[in-house]
Amino acid sequence: MVTTGGSCCYRLRRCRNGEGVDASTADPSGPPGHPRLYLRHRRLLLEWNSSQVTSRTMGPAQEQFDYPVLLTDSFDDILQTTGTATPSVGVAQHVLLGGRLLLQARGGAGKTWTAKRIALDMAGEGGIALLPSWLIDRYVSSGESLSNLARLAALDEDAVRPERLLVGSGVIILDGLNEIPRSAADNLLEAIPTLLARYPDLSIIVTDRLTRRAGADGWLLATLGPVPADTAQRLLNICDETRVPEHLRVPYYLNKALETGQPSSSQEEILVGRLTTHGGIPNDALSSTAEAAYLSYAKTHDRLLDMEIFHRLVPAAVVSEMWASGLLVDRQRPRFDHHLCHDYLAARHLAEHQELWTPSGFDTVTLGASSFDALALAAASLDAASADRYVHKVYDWNLYGAAHFLEEDGHGPQRVSSFMRSAILAMLAEKRFDAVRATAQRAEDALRLQSGATARALRQAESRNDVAIIARSTAAASAVAPPWAAAWLNLFTSKGSVTGEQTAQLESEVGIVGWAASNTVRRLEPSKRHTPAIIGLLQAHADQTVRWRAAHALAGSNAKDAVKALFSAVANDREQTWVRYGALRSLLEIAARRGGRAMYQILRQLASEPIATSIASDKHLTREAMHALDVVELPSNWHRAAEPLLSVIWTSPQDADTHQELLGLAQRWRRMRERES
């Protein structure tokens, strides 16, 4: 049964009269409606005449793509693209009843266009507005009352009948939830039902990437399937549907291929064609425009462009052509007509400058790991050797970013070797058994996105030992193994005691080998003999990634000196964030593993000055503290031991999102204690 919200929403919400969709009589099985519905739909399209809905965004062929809207029961179904195929008018009926739809899909899958289509099908005489991610973020960050959301939507110059939104009647699309801070996004989802209870004639559609949302309970959930192969074959005039590339089953790329008349184009060729032939950027200006796109992301941290940077780096005539072609839209809030164009340009600059293959560079092109599309686009022009090094650097920065890259690469050029793919999947699968709930869940989700027999086997593994067996068998089956393969496999499948060679591998320049060493040393518990060397790496190594690996590895140590070194790293405000992050997590893991007196001592010291203030004043450390405290198996009296630290975080200057996350953690602990009793 499709989730459509609580019974309260059904009692409060009423169907619109007049030209709106009547959920009791409308036919959900056919195309958008009978003549009356069709005429209303066309009239609203004419009213909403900005670039938000015209063919500039999606093109007239979009109507013919036939990709399914799938209503689902859970996020697991969304990850596997399974659900009940439903026409937009049928989805509109469900949203009218429940008031809220969370539409989650990949980049370019048609989320924004589909949300607009559903809104047009259900609006009746109410207003319609679309709020982009950057505006949602600024709205949430400003601490505005949720009741002002309709007022904010009514101010949008592209809104249809904004005066109706002011009285709480119509549809608001919140577009790009993944591009605002995660806790803020989850809290927004949890708070919206209160607004809808107050305004029963208002509905909200939220678009989002494939991200598990803690606040999604009670929402109608939907995802988008790919364009059917036979549809793409017909539109592109390809003789055999088995020859339709995966990326041409993504609506954005299919639409652009049809516009250019080049059905054999790669993703990169399609984007370059949009930017050059159809976007006004000469080939000799691509590099300077790419640099401007990268620096704009670095400065604004959102999709809005810093035009001062563009005017400084890009010739004025080129900028004018970008406006004239429609590549740039909205002079008041300048941005590219599709985020993939901005992502590609920023990624192109990243690819051309390997010195930017750092945590800072990857954070820039992914907007702080909120959108991983640019990671795959950056690798489009790399040769095999550079691509291998690139994947290791991405892995050094973010395991889940590397997993996303694997998934995208599998649908495209497949630059990643089979051994590399299997190794990263095994490292992901190992995280399924992590002590921290959020880590285990995220690893599970990332594996669900992967296709192939190896990914399926790793999802079904019942222990870490099963994962090691699968890793060994897939390695043996690989026809070609990279130079680092033996070192990685030996580390990943190691048993017994930590060796000096394993400790030395923490310094490996090969990202996946260095992190395999860190996980292995942590798992096998370093002895007093090897702990000093690891502490030395944490305290003095020049590479922040090696210091982070060392901090992570010390989670397996019982030595007092290890705990002391980890506390020093957390308290060091001059240390890099990810090193402090890793040290804090290791301290909390040691506390949870050891329990008893040691647990109380570690948590009490974390709540003391100056460490407590250092944690509470850094949003990354605050968030990691709450995540690492949420362990799968609660030690005895864990919640009591954690109270001083949580109290410091609560009483320190924090935003509303942090307080909500703390309340959510307390509620989960309460439910767990109730089940245990």
Side-chain angles (χ1 to χ4, degrees), residues 441-499:
Q441 183 64 73
R442 195 172 183 189
E444 185 78 33
D445 291 346
L447 269 177
R448 285 181 182 275
L449 284 173
Q450 308 295 326
S451 57
T454 300
R456 286 193 297 273
L458 290 168
R459 284 200 301 269
Q460 296 166 3
E462 296 183 358
S463 67
R464 195 206 173 278
N465 187 56
D466 290 345
V467 172
I469 292 171
I470 295 169
R472 194 177 290 110
S473 64
T474 54
S478 296
V480 179
W484 49 266
W488 175 82
L489 187 62
N490 286 337
L491 285 166
F492 192 78
T493 58
S494 289
K495 297 181 180 180
S497 302
V498 173
T499 66

Side-chain angles (χ1 to χ4, degrees), residues 43-292:
R43 175 169 59 79
L44 288 174
L45 273 174
L46 290 173
E47 286 187 44
W48 205 356
N49 60 4
S50 72
S51 62
Q52 297 288 334
V53 180
T54 62
S55 60
R56 179 183 298 170
T57 302
M58 276 298 188
Q62 184 74 27
E63 292 280 4
Q64 309 170 38
F65 286 176
D66 299 331
Y67 61 82
V69 182
L70 303 171
L71 295 182
T72 68
D73 291 328
S74 68
F75 184 69
D76 290 345
D77 291 338
I78 288 174
L79 288 176
Q80 298 177 66
T81 322
T82 58
T84 303
T86 310
S88 63
V89 68
V91 178
Q93 294 166 26
H94 284 291
V95 183
L96 280 169
L97 290 173
R100 46 196 161 119
L101 168 68
L102 179 59
L103 177 61
Q104 296 180 296
R106 306 173 191 277
K111 297 184 294 295
T112 302
W113 192 94
T114 303
K116 293 168 183 171
R117 177 59 181 271
I118 294 168
L120 290 168
D121 280 335
M122 63 184 289
E125 291 304 316
I128 313 175
L130 181 145
L131 301 183
S133 58
W134 62 267
L135 191 56
I136 304 169
D137 189 15
R138 294 178 187 185
Y139 165 80
V140 172
S141 300
S142 67
E144 288 281 343
S145 168
L146 191 64
S147 61
N148 291 333
L149 187 61
R151 185 178 299 115
L152 180 67
L155 294 175
D156 179 27
E157 63 184 23
D158 296 324
V160 176
R161 291 189 292 272
E163 72 282 356
R164 299 299 298 156
L165 291 169
L166 286 172
V167 295
S169 175
V171 187
I172 299 174
I173 301 171
L174 304 182
D175 194 34
L177 192 69
N178 53 288
E179 292 175 20
I180 71 174
R182 186 185 185 97
S183 59
D186 289 340
N187 291 332
L188 188 62
L189 290 179
E190 291 178 342
I192 281 173
T194 303
L195 177 66
L196 298 180
R198 183 175 177 182
Y199 298 106
D201 284 336
L202 186 67
S203 297
I204 301 224
I205 299 173
V206 176
T207 71
D208 190 17
R209 289 296 180 84
L210 300 175
T211 303
R212 187 179 293 273
R213 296 293 181 188
D217 291 347
W219 281 71
L220 175 66
L221 302 178
T223 191
L224 302 175
V227 176
D230 59 346
T231 299
Q233 174 201 3
R234 172 175 51 80
L235 292 170
L236 295 166
N237 292 319
I238 295 176
C239 296
D240 182 0
E241 70 178 50
T242 62
R243 295 179 57 206
V244 177
E246 285 288 335
H247 70 274
L248 290 180
R249 297 182 63 192
V250 177
Y252 177 81
Y253 291 109
L254 175 58
N255 191 62
K256 294 306 176 188
L258 291 171
E259 286 181 356
T260 59
Q262 296 178 315
S264 61
S265 298
S266 67
Q267 287 172 279
E268 183 181 26
E269 289 168 339
I270 289 171
L271 289 167
V272 170
R274 173 68 186 106
L275 296 167
T276 56
T277 306
H278 301 278
I281 305 175
N283 285 319
D284 60 5
L286 267 177
S287 290
S288 61
T289 310
E291 181 181 6

Side-chain angles (χ1 to χ4, degrees), residues 415-457:
R415 296 176 193 82
V416 180
S417 69
S418 61
F419 191 97
M420 170 73 87
R421 176 179 171 80
S422 297
I424 291 179
L425 292 180
M427 298 281 274
L428 262 181
E430 180 181 39
K431 297 291 184 183
R432 291 178 55 224
F433 306 100
D434 198 272
V436 175
R437 186 181 309 279
T439 299
Q441 183 64 73
R442 195 172 183 189
E444 185 78 33
D445 291 346
L447 269 177
R448 285 181 182 275
L449 284 173
Q450 308 295 326
S451 57
T454 300
R456 286 193 297 273

Side-chain angles (χ1 to χ4, degrees), residues 329-662:
V329 298
D330 195 344
R331 291 184 182 270
Q332 297 299 316
R333 299 163 297 189
R335 58 194 183 277
F336 284 93
D337 70 331
H338 197 282
H339 71 83
L340 286 174
C341 293
H342 195 163
D343 278 354
Y344 172 74
L345 284 168
R348 184 186 179 102
H349 183 72
L350 183 79
E352 292 174 350
H353 296 271
Q354 295 193 15
E355 71 275 10
L356 296 177
W357 295 1
T358 63
S360 176
F362 295 133
D363 275 336
T364 294
V365 299
T366 63
L367 298 179
S370 66
S371 175
F372 290 133
D373 288 336
L375 296 179
L377 294 173
S381 59
L382 299 178
D383 57 33
S386 296
D388 196 55
R389 179 171 178 268
Y390 175 79
V391 176
H392 285 298
K393 291 294 184 180
V394 172
Y395 190 97
D396 260 342
W397 165 70
N398 189 303
L399 166 60
Y400 307 105
H404 180 90
F405 176 78
L406 279 188
E407 195 269 334
E408 290 291 330
D409 186 70
H411 291 305
Q414 299 183 355
R415 296 176 193 82
V416 180
S417 69
S418 61
F419 191 97
M420 170 73 87
R421 176 179 171 80
S422 297
I424 291 179
L425 292 180
M427 298 281 274
L428 262 181
E430 180 181 39
K431 297 291 184 183
R432 291 178 55 224
F433 306 100
D434 198 272
V436 175
R437 186 181 309 279
T439 299
Q441 183 64 73
R442 195 172 183 189
E444 185 78 33
D445 291 346
L447 269 177
R448 285 181 182 275
L449 284 173
Q450 308 295 326
S451 57
T454 300
R456 286 193 297 273
L458 290 168
R459 284 200 301 269
Q460 296 166 3
E462 296 183 358
S463 67
R464 195 206 173 278
N465 187 56
D466 290 345
V467 172
I469 292 171
I470 295 169
R472 194 177 290 110
S473 64
T474 54
S478 296
V480 179
W484 49 266
W488 175 82
L489 187 62
N490 286 337
L491 285 166
F492 192 78
T493 58
S494 289
K495 297 181 180 180
S497 302
V498 173
T499 66
E501 181 182 358
Q502 291 167 343
T503 302
Q505 291 282 26
L506 289 170
E507 298 182 77
S508 175
E509 294 183 0
V510 180
I512 197 168
V513 172
W515 279 106
S518 181
N519 289 333
T520 298
V521 172
R522 170 176 170 264
R523 171 171 54 87
L524 299 181
E525 301 181 8
S527 65
K528 292 182 179 180
R529 176 186 172 190
H530 298 295
T531 295
I534 304 171
I535 293 174
L537 294 177
L538 171 60
Q539 294 176 333
H541 201 280
D543 188 331
Q544 68 160 322
T545 300
V546 174
R547 298 199 300 276
W548 184 7
R549 292 174 190 162
H552 182 72
L554 287 174
S557 176
N558 289 316
K560 291 182 179 180
D561 286 347
V563 172
K564 183 179 178 180
L566 290 169
F567 270 115
S568 295
V570 173
N572 184 0
D573 292 337
R574 296 184 301 277
E575 178 57 275
Q576 294 289 331
T577 294
W578 294 115
V579 180
R580 300 176 69 204
Y581 168 104
L584 174 60
R585 182 186 174 110
S586 288
L587 284 169
L588 290 170
E589 287 191 27
I590 292 170
R593 173 168 53 81
R594 295 177 65 180
R597 183 179 178 183
M599 173 184 73
Y600 274 101
Q601 288 176 337
I602 291 172
L603 289 172
R604 189 180 302 117
Q605 189 170 346
L606 285 172
S608 65
E609 295 299 340
I611 296 176
T613 298
S614 182
I615 294 172
S617 61
D618 186 301
K619 64 179 181 180
H620 293 289
L621 296 183
T622 299
R623 185 179 178 195
E624 182 56 19
M626 290 186 288
H627 282 179
L629 283 167
D630 191 9
V631 293
V632 176
E633 296 183 9
L634 286 181
S636 178
N637 293 321
W638 179 248
H639 63 288
R640 294 189 184 280
E643 281 177 2
L645 176 58
L646 294 179
S647 178
V648 170
I649 295 174
W650 181 269
T651 56
S652 300
Q654 300 288 348
D655 56 26
D657 298 335
T658 301
H659 285 157
Q660 280 297 118
E661 196 160 349
L662 276 172

